[in-house]
Amino acid sequence: MSKLAPGGAEALLRRYEGLSSRLPGARLPWLASLRAAAAAAFRAQGLPSRRAEAWRYTDLRPIAEVEFAEPLLSVTAALPLPAQRLPRRAVFVDGRFREGLSELGDNDVALGSLAADLPAAEGRLGRLARPEDHPLTALNTALFEDGLTVTVPAGIDAGGLELSHFVLAAERPLACHPRHLIRLEPGARLLLLESAQGDVATRYLHNPVFEIEIAEGASLVHVRLQQEGEAGFQLGTIYARIEAGGTYDNFTLNAGGRLVRNEIHAVLAGPEAACHMNGAQLLRDGQHADTTTVLDHAAPDCRSRQTYKTVLSGRSRGVFQGRIHVHQVAQRTDGYQMNQALLLSPEAEIDSKPQLEIYADDVKCSHGATVGALDADQLFYLRARGIPEPVARTMLIDAFLQDVVDTIAEGPARDAVATAIADWWRGRA
Amino acid sequence: MLKIEGLTAEVEGKPILRGIDLDLPPGEVHAIMGPNGAGKSTLAYLLAGREDYAVTGGTVRFAGQDLLALAPEARASAGLFLAFQHPVELPGVGNALFLRTALNAIRRARGEDELDAMQFLKLVRERMRSLAMPEDMLKRSANVGFSGGEKKRNEVLQMALMRPKLAILDETDSGLDIDALRIVAEGVNALRGPDFSALVITHHQRLLDYLVPDRVHVLIGGRIVQSGGPELARKLEAEGYGFLQAAA
């Protein structure tokens, strides 16, 4: 166990101690004990240090140094939220649901604030998350104030839903830990488009945890736009469990924040389930982005695909760690993992760690990684056709990202990602 | 149009061009022939602005400007076009997007209005028909999976769209069958006029049957060792470079 980091981790624990009686659901014994156990786990582990194997390439000291406070209650209505792109949208500000800004629709999908109906979350909250293994999940469990709960009933196609999280300007650094519970019953479908943004000048920690249950034959497409403010930290953890014949499609764009981690733990729990985890990371000078995936093939005849692409400029650093664990029972597993990085500057750095652990004997599983700079011949060819160098570079970087963006089958979600990439270019100019 | 005087250049300290003098007046087509390693492609790339070569002496004037002071994109918008010997594959860059971006960059630099998608499509389809190019070549990534002949035609298509003042064709005939060769030559001939010049770099006299040059220069060992009329190309085809290599 690593020593408790000074400063930030202690301050976060002190907040739990001061707040625990006032946190949502404090009078529910099951939740109070869940929170107490999580706080104890966090006390024992502290913020992860680089001595922990899973955190070897990502140093959380910039977060540990900050004393975060809880967000103040705010009633501001004017938010620079992006225009709504899907029929329904749940808006969260500083980790709390804002009904007045949301548009939930009125049909058979159970959708709403976790804090508003915590008794209903008993047995569901904490079913997949592992606070004992993951300190940031422990922190989230101890301190969450709200989150989104979604249940799509059997056989229903719920269409598209946005989950928009925004952090307002604040004088003191703030931390929020939303807990989102998504459940798709057998045969249900949902497109979830998540965005995370925040005030450019505010130091904040956004530490969301998702628990995603996908029942037999259900299908969730989860597209994430991480566009946090320049001084923001996002450490997000997703736990997904996919039953027989179900599909989980995750695409994550990391295009903001100062230090971010996108950590996914997915379990293919029933035969013929599928999991696709793709993403792009666009990094400017001073940014650090880490994508860590842990995929358990725990049933036969499942299929998984992962492609992550990282573009690094200035003194930025990217990390990809991808572990695929093929259990003995998982015969006829079909797995693929690819990680590619484009280095635009000599100071940029990418660390890539694929890890395959295979205990079944009839398995098709491959992985690969490439690192390179922009191709000088391609760049010259475009310039020789009159295309100015900055435009030529943009074209080649877009081309590098093209195939991974094209993995998003849903038009509105793919457009949202393309727009976010274009916004990233504009911010850069 | 193009005036090269005393041009010397080297790659990694090794001299490749040892003093080139060449005067290409407006409206003329000149051919440069020579054996492998003579410096033909180096000259083409260097004129287009490739940075791998160090110019160690001499000057190049193009349409009244100091060509060597211009960035590659500025050379292109000034009216210079290099048809690549090995057109570069651009995976993920659709050919239509590539062609339109390039054409509009040139038009913008010339102070002309950019073409919108519909105007561009009309123009490019027309040009492709005259080059006998299938339309699906617009939808594919530029040059990716194109046959050798398709790549060369795609180069000539770009030239036809951009209407340069000076086209440098670097071994555009290599790998082409006789029909493709004729189409490429017709593409260049269609541009011929008082404001268009071409520098045709080739190994073989074959292309010059269809694209008849005003002058032929022989480049050996980084120098132009002989210049003459179209009959020089036929003599080289018949006799080889042996009689000139002794002189070089």
Side-chain angles (χ1 to χ4, degrees):
Chain A
M1 286 295 143
S2 56
K3 276 264 183 347
L4 189 59
E10 273 171 21
L12 289 162
L13 270 172
R14 271 203 308 279
R15 288 201 32 232
Y16 169 73
E17 279 146 17
L19 279 174
S20 60
S21 63
R22 285 179 288 137
L23 283 166
R27 275 182 243 156
L28 300 170
W30 64 269
L31 183 54
S33 70
L34 204 63
R35 289 198 194 265
F42 184 72
R43 180 174 291 108
Q45 298 174 70
L47 283 170
S49 83
R50 293 185 56 200
R51 283 189 298 270
E53 185 60 26
W55 291 86
R56 204 158 127 199
Y57 303 109
T58 293
D59 189 345
L60 292 184
R61 270 179 303 183
I63 292 173
E65 285 161 5
V66 183
E67 284 217 21
F68 294 104
E70 73 261 38
L72 299 169
L73 279 175
S74 146
V75 289
T76 318
L79 276 182
L81 281 172
Q84 192 170 327
R85 293 161 282 209
L86 295 175
R88 282 185 275 219
R89 173 154 78 173
V91 175
F92 287 75
V93 175
D94 297 346
R96 298 173 186 131
F97 178 61
R98 293 286 290 270
E99 189 165 15
L101 299 171
S102 300
E103 174 69 55
L104 299 185
D106 56 353
N107 59 17
D108 38 11
V109 178
L111 185 60
S113 153
L114 173 64
D117 193 8
L118 272 167
E122 184 172 4
R124 182 168 168 194
L125 197 160
R127 189 181 293 162
L128 302 181
R130 284 153 46 203
E132 64 283 6
D133 296 328
H134 305 132
L136 292 159
T137 299
L139 188 61
N140 173 286
T141 305
L143 284 168
F144 79 85
E145 291 189 52
D146 207 344
L148 176 70
T149 58
V150 183
T151 303
V152 185
I156 297 291
D157 184 345
L161 163 67
E162 282 187 64
L163 165 54
S164 301
H165 188 270
F166 199 92
V167 174
L168 290 171
E171 283 176 23
R172 295 177 57 197
L174 65 87
C176 52
H177 314 268
R179 182 66 159 261
H180 306 296
L181 308 178
I182 318 288
R183 180 159 68 195
L184 274 65
E185 292 181 345
R189 304 177 70 85
L190 176 68
L191 164 63
L192 179 65
L193 175 61
E194 180 196 347
S195 64
Q197 294 176 307
D199 178 69
V200 289
T202 299
R203 278 204 288 177
Y204 64 88
L205 169 63
H206 177 203
N207 177 38
V209 169
F210 286 80
E211 295 185 77
I212 296 174
E213 298 174 68
I214 297 171
E216 289 77 8
S219 164
L220 174 64
V221 177
H222 185 188
V223 175
R224 318 182 68 212
L225 307 176
Q226 184 281 110
Q227 299 173 290
E228 304 283 9
E230 280 166 38
F233 304 110
Q234 186 190 113
L235 304 172
T237 310
I238 293 173
Y239 299 91
R241 183 179 169 88
I242 308 133
E243 303 296 342
T247 302
Y248 179 52
D249 256 318
N250 178 299
F251 183 98
T252 303
L253 176 73
N254 271 332
R258 182 175 154 208
L259 190 167
V260 303
R261 170 133 152 159
N262 161 34
E263 181 169 328
I264 305 174
H265 298 266
V267 181
L268 290 159
E272 296 182 17
C275 181
H276 307 136
M277 296 187 279
N278 300 309
Q281 310 194 103
L282 310 177
L283 303 181
R284 280 193 252 281
D285 193 39
Q287 287 183 307
H288 179 111
D290 173 335
T291 289
T292 294
T293 64
V294 180
L295 177 62
D296 276 272
H297 272 268
D301 298 300
C302 292
R303 179 183 146 96
S304 65
R305 291 286 177 272
Q306 298 181 61
T307 299
Y308 286 94
K309 299 213 177 191
T310 305
V311 177
L312 301 104
S313 63
R315 198 183 292 272
S316 61
R317 187 161 178 198
V319 178
F320 173 78
Q321 307 184 97
R323 201 172 107 206
I324 301 177
H325 182 148
V326 181
H327 296 239
Q328 200 170 358
V329 65
Q331 297 298 351
R332 296 169 303 279
T333 283
D334 179 0
Y336 171 83
Q337 180 192 83
M338 175 55 79
N339 164 45
Q340 295 181 304
L342 184 58
L343 297 173
L344 300 180
S345 115
E347 285 98 39
E349 182 181 332
I350 178 88
D351 294 288
S352 176
K353 194 174 84 173
Q355 228 181 320
L356 262 51
E357 292 175 36
I358 299 175
Y359 300 99
D361 46 30
D362 180 9
V363 165
K364 200 166 81 185
C365 218
S366 63
H367 69 90
T370 65
V371 181
L374 280 181
D375 185 280
D377 289 334
Q378 294 179 342
L379 203 53
F380 175 66
Y381 188 60
L382 291 170
R383 294 179 71 194
R385 292 297 175 256
I387 299 171
E389 186 177 5
V391 180
R393 294 172 75 90
T394 308
M395 285 176 80
L396 293 177
I397 294 166
D398 279 344
F400 171 74
L401 296 172
Q402 192 63 52
D403 58 345
V404 73
V405 173
D406 282 347
T407 61
I408 308 168
E410 287 67 22
R414 193 176 54 242
D415 292 348
V417 169
T419 303
I421 291 174
D423 288 348
W424 183 77
W425 278 110
R426 263 197 290 284
R428 191 189 155 77
Chain B
M1 183 68 74
L2 179 73
K3 197 169 173 67
I4 304 175
E5 287 183 315
L7 182 65
T8 57
E10 57 184 43
V11 177
E12 291 163 1
K14 186 169 163 252
I16 306 286
L17 303 182
R18 299 162 181 269
I20 304 269
D21 294 289
L22 192 145
D23 189 4
L24 176 57
E28 291 195 6
V29 172
H30 287 198
I32 295 189
M33 303 185 73
N36 281 331
K40 303 189 300 295
S41 283
T42 299
L43 178 62
Y45 274 126
L46 192 153
L47 293 175
R50 179 103 208 191
E51 282 153 2
D52 308 3
Y53 310 103
V55 174
T56 49
T59 59
V60 181
R61 306 285 300 173
F62 170 62
Q65 298 182 73
D66 175 5
L67 185 72
L68 301 179
L70 301 178
E73 52 267 44
R75 299 181 195 201
S77 38
L80 183 146
F81 180 91
L82 169 66
F84 281 58
Q85 182 181 359
H86 302 291
V88 179
E89 297 187 2
L90 302 172
V93 179
N95 202 28
L97 175 72
F98 164 60
L99 295 169
R100 184 151 79 95
T101 307
L103 178 59
N104 278 335
I106 298 274
R107 292 181 66 95
R108 197 164 48 239
R110 290 182 189 157
E112 297 168 3
D113 285 340
E114 294 185 28
L115 299 186
D116 65 29
M118 292 310 293
Q119 293 168 318
F120 168 75
L121 219 52
K122 188 168 175 289
L123 176 68
V124 76
R125 283 188 175 138
E126 196 183 294
R127 295 280 186 274
M128 286 175 85
R129 263 194 303 275
S130 62
L131 290 165
M133 290 171 72
E135 208 172 286
D136 80 308
M137 283 175 68
L138 279 181
K139 298 194 189 95
R140 290 144 72 184
S141 289
N143 296 326
V144 178
F146 287 20
S147 70
E150 285 175 331
K151 285 181 180 171
K152 296 299 174 75
R153 273 184 234 199
N154 205 40
E155 294 292 287
V156 176
L157 172 64
Q158 290 161 49
M159 185 174 66
L161 289 169
M162 293 175 194
R163 307 192 68 85
K165 291 187 187 124
L166 169 64
I168 301 168
L169 280 67
D170 185 12
E171 310 245 358
T172 300
D173 51 340
S174 66
L176 290 188
D177 63 31
I178 201 78
D179 290 334
L181 195 69
R182 193 175 291 132
I183 287 166
V184 165
E186 279 166 11
V188 179
N189 284 330
L191 292 172
R192 284 180 94 153
D195 299 320
F196 174 79
S197 308
L199 199 57
V200 181
I201 293 169
T202 181
H203 264 306
H204 307 289
Q205 177 254 345
R206 211 170 54 139
L207 175 64
L208 305 179
D209 288 341
Y210 302 99
L211 186 54
V212 181
D214 298 288
R215 301 279 293 165
V216 175
H217 309 281
V218 183
L219 186 65
I220 296 180
R223 276 192 200 95
I224 289 175
V225 297
Q226 191 163 4
S227 298
E231 71 288 349
L232 179 57
R234 282 189 287 274
K235 182 176 159 119
L236 290 169
E237 188 76 4
E239 299 179 19
Y241 295 102
F243 74 99
L244 290 168
Q245 259 156 345

